[in-house]
């Protein structure tokens, strides 16, 4: 465990050792101003108990905001609003180590663990982190029975994944959140949880190496949402970019050509990097091919036009985290353009920021109509590039 000063020194050394992002001075200042305005907005919306937007999802939004605030050099864990929010999070830890308010156990625990990892020098927080880590590794689908009574072995579509809990099946979004939480809180990438998750994540990718669903997913290197629609349709994969095919699958008709899309592709790519796969691993190469062919920041690429901005801020967050982990300052698109992706990200988020300093999505699926959540997403993305 590290004290606050030591933690900041380690962070500085890591940043100095990393390739610099191609963020020019104008965009850096623009990004800093956007962050300041976003945090100022959030300081006006905290509830008396220390939470932000506790309903309907639980403490996850509070934890995202705590993490975003603690990533600022001038905000410490002793900041009154941050300290109150940390206490709120800790008070929601259950005897099994999970952190939630009765629903979305993995989602809430993973995001809360990411926030707590920033104050791991506190003995009470360190113990909460260990318990949360054990919980997350314990809910990964492996060696149990599925809802239909079939054993979960390495050949099962659930193997290595994690889900919300309410659908009775794992999905890529929850799996990547669990992996990121373990990564940020110090679990080694050689841990079996990472190894198992790579099996599930690969099965969500449109790649020749997908041993179960290569014929169902478009082989463009991108990723879909899940290997099963729900507990009643195990092994019937689902993409949020192909909503029309879900009805076909639910009717019992075979589906193929599931479209891949941005938020899940960057989530999968990021997970590969956190698991320390080789940069020339075919899965990494295929994912990067998709990224180069579908570079966009004004929408969630791959989603059909009428719903192209659903999950837009989630997408921007995974975009920023994944490319930050890739440690390349530019992306060369399929048509040969060299993009300074960090500058592009800052410019896009500055355009989307509201007058009051918040962000919000008018396509409000997945809670992106909640200004606290969407502002937390935007700040998280900016924090990935503003050093």
């Amino acid at each position: 465990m590290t004290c606050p000063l030591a933690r900041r020194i380690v962070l500085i050394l890591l940043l100095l050792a990393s390739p610099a992002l191609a963020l020019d001075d104008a965009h850096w200042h623009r990004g800093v101003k956007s962050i300041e305005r976003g945090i100022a907005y959030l300081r006006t919306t905290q509830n008396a108990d220390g939470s932000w937007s506790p309903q309907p999802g639980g403490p996850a939004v509070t934890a995202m905001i705590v993490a975003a605030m603690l990533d600022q050099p001038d905000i410490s864990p002793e900041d009154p609003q941050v300290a109150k929010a940390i206490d709120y999070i800790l008070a929601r830890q259950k005897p099994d180590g999970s952190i939630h308010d009765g629903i979305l156990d993995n989602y809430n625990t993973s995001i809360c663990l990411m926030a707590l990892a920033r104050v791991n020098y506190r003995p009470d927080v360190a113990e909460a982190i260990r318990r949360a880590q054990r919980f997350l590794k314990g809910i990964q689908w492996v060696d149990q029975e599925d809802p239909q009574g079939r054993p979960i072995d390495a050949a099962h579509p659930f193997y290595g994944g994690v889900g919300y809990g309410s659908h009775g099946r794992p999905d890529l979004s929850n799996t990547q959140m669990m992996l990121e939480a373990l990564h940020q809180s110090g679990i080694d990438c050689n841990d079996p949880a990472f190894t198992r998750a790579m099996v599930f994540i690969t099965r969500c990718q449109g790649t020749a190496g997908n041993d179960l669903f290569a014929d169902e997913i478009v082989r463009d290197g991108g990723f879909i949402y899940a290997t099963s629609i729900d507990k009643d349709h195990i092994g019937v994969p689902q993409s949020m970019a192909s909503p029309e095919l879900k009805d076909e699958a639910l009717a019992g008709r075979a589906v193929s050509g599931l479209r891949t899309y941005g938020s899940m592709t960057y989530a999968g790519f990021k997970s590969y990097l956190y698991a320390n796969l080789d940069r020339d691993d075919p899965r990494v190469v295929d994912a990067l091919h998709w990224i180069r062919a579908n570079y966009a920041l004004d929408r969630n690429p791959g989603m059909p036009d009428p719903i192209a901005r659903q999950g837009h801020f989630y997408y921007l967050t995974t975009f920023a985290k994944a490319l930050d982990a890739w440690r390349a300052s530019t992306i060369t698109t399929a048509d040969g353009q060299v993009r300074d992706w960090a500058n592009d990200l800052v410019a896009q988020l500055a355009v989307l920021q509201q007058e009051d300093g918040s962000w919000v999505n008018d396509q409000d699926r997945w809670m992106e109509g909640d200004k606290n959540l969407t502002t937390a997403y935007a700040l998280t993305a900016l924090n990935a590039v503003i050093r």
Side-chain angles (χ1 to χ4, degrees):
M1 300 301 173
T2 57
C3 67
L5 178 59
R7 181 169 65 89
R8 291 174 187 275
I9 291 172
V10 168
L11 177 60
I12 290 169
L13 291 174
L14 286 172
L15 294 177
L16 289 174
S18 302
L21 297 175
L23 196 64
D24 60 38
D25 286 347
H27 285 89
W28 186 88
H29 286 290
R30 194 177 187 185
V32 168
K33 186 64 175 177
S34 286
I35 290 173
E36 290 173 349
R37 293 177 59 215
I39 289 176
Y41 169 79
L42 290 172
R43 287 195 181 279
T44 70
T45 62
Q46 188 178 28
N47 297 315
D49 63 0
S51 69
W52 282 271
S53 298
Q55 299 298 327
V61 176
T62 301
M64 289 178 64
I65 291 170
V66 165
M69 294 178 76
L70 285 176
D71 284 346
Q72 307 314 307
D74 59 344
I75 299 179
S76 79
E78 287 71 42
D79 177 283
Q81 288 186 283
V82 173
K84 197 168 189 179
I86 292 172
D87 289 343
Y88 174 86
I89 293 166
L90 291 173
R92 270 133 193 90
Q93 187 161 47
K94 311 304 180 191
D96 64 1
S98 60
I99 307 171
H100 57 88
D101 274 331
I103 60 171
L104 309 179
D105 299 12
N106 172 72
Y107 172 79
N108 280 288
T109 303
S110 294
I111 295 175
C112 289
L113 180 54
M114 293 182 215
L116 295 177
R118 288 160 167 80
V119 286
N120 62 3
Y121 61 92
R122 279 177 43 176
D124 60 334
V125 173
E127 176 58 24
I129 287 172
R130 285 190 288 270
R131 294 171 60 206
Q133 290 171 333
R134 285 196 298 268
F135 171 79
L136 291 177
K137 289 196 280 186
I139 62 171
Q140 192 173 32
W141 283 98
V142 56
D143 295 333
Q144 311 102 315
E145 289 186 349
D146 71 17
Q148 298 178 10
R150 295 167 51 196
I152 306 290
D153 57 19
H156 195 285
F158 286 10
Y159 182 82
V162 177
Y164 284 114
S166 56
H167 294 81
R169 60 93 169 95
D171 62 75
L172 177 53
S173 180
N174 275 281
T175 303
Q176 66 95 13
M177 285 184 180
M178 180 267 288
L179 276 189
E180 182 170 356
L182 295 179
H183 170 77
Q184 287 196 18
S185 62
I187 299 297
D188 188 88
C189 65
N190 294 311
D191 188 276
F194 281 79
T195 305
R196 292 189 291 258
M198 291 304 100
V199 176
F200 178 80
I201 292 171
T202 300
R203 288 170 173 167
C204 293
Q205 187 176 15
T207 181
N210 187 331
D211 64 340
L212 294 186
F213 303 111
D215 293 334
E216 282 85 358
I217 306 170
V218 174
R219 291 195 198 181
D220 56 6
F223 291 74
I224 63 168
Y225 182 68
T227 61
S228 302
I229 293 176
D230 54 36
K231 62 183 176 59
D232 298 317
H233 298 83
I234 296 173
V236 180
Q238 178 184 13
S239 172
M240 298 301 181
S242 300
E244 75 285 357
L245 293 181
K246 181 178 178 181
D247 292 336
E248 293 290 303
L250 291 175
R253 291 185 281 272
V255 300
S256 63
L258 285 169
R259 292 187 292 272
T260 60
Y261 60 109
S263 49
M264 288 302 97
T265 298
Y266 281 94
F269 182 60
K270 170 172 64 72
S271 298
Y272 286 163
L273 301 179
Y274 288 166
N276 202 30
L277 296 191
D278 291 339
R279 292 171 82 91
D280 60 356
D281 185 294
R283 294 167 291 180
V284 176
V285 172
D286 285 351
L288 188 62
H289 172 80
W290 190 99
I291 288 167
R292 295 181 63 241
N294 295 276
Y295 185 87
L297 285 161
D298 61 343
R299 64 190 182 280
N300 191 351
M303 297 286 275
D305 285 343
I307 58 173
R309 291 190 59 247
Q310 287 186 1
H312 187 204
F313 286 87
Y314 179 110
Y315 163 69
L316 292 175
T317 301
T318 56
F319 170 98
K321 288 182 175 181
L323 293 184
D324 180 44
W326 182 239
R327 294 301 182 199
S329 61
T330 61
I331 290 292
T332 302
T333 62
D335 60 3
Q337 292 187 59
V338 178
R339 304 298 314 189
D340 292 330
W341 63 267
N343 286 334
D344 291 346
L345 176 70
V346 169
Q348 181 65 52
L349 284 169
V351 167
L352 294 174
Q353 193 166 24
Q354 306 292 301
E355 285 295 322
D356 62 2
S358 70
W359 286 266
V360 69
N361 191 343
D362 56 7
Q363 292 194 4
D364 63 356
R365 191 178 185 188
W366 300 309
M367 287 180 62
E368 289 202 1
D370 181 333
K371 294 172 77 170
N372 288 331
L373 173 62
T374 314
T375 300
Y377 278 146
L379 292 174
T380 301
L382 289 169
N383 284 337
V385 299
I386 302 296
R387 307 298 197 203

